Amino acid sequence: MGPYTGGGTAVITGTNLAAATSVRFGSRTATIESATDTAVTVTFPAVPSPGPVPVTVITLGGSAGGLTFTYLDTPTVTGASPASGPTPWQPYDTT
C-alpha cells in the first residue's frame, strides 16, 4: 500500500527476478532501483486515483503477475481534541 501520489518504495519478491526489465503498476511503469534473483525494489509511480492495481514484473524470460498493490488516498486532518493540554514539566533552574 502507498499514496496514490507515488514516490514510495515497494519490494516485490519471487524467483528469477534479476533480469527484470520493467515493473508495471496498472498501466504505469515503476522505476527499478535494484533487482536480485529474489527481489526487485522499485519506486512506484503516481496514479490518477486511489484503489487497487495489478503488478506485473517483466523479465527477459517473460512476465509474471498475480499481485495487487493498493494505492491509498492522502489523509485529511479536520481537528484534534483536546485542542490544548497541560504545560510540560520543566525542571527548576538554580543558576
Side-chain angles (χ1 to χ4, degrees):
M1 287 190 268
Y4 80 97
T5 54
T9 300
V11 178
I12 301 156
T13 58
T15 57
N16 303 316
L17 300 175
T21 58
S22 181
V23 177
R24 310 275 298 168
F25 282 64
S27 63
R28 310 272 173 135
T29 302
T31 302
I32 297 175
E33 302 299 336
S34 65
T36 67
D37 191 49
T38 58
V40 179
T41 301
V42 300
T43 299
F44 56 84
V47 294
S49 61
V53 297
V55 176
T56 305
V57 177
I58 301 160
T59 72
L60 298 174
S63 64
L67 300 174
T68 300
F69 183 85
T70 302
Y71 282 96
L72 304 173
D73 204 353
T74 53
T76 301
V77 177
T78 59
S81 179
S84 63
T87 303
W89 178 81
Q90 297 292 321
Y92 181 70
D93 187 0
T94 59
T95 59

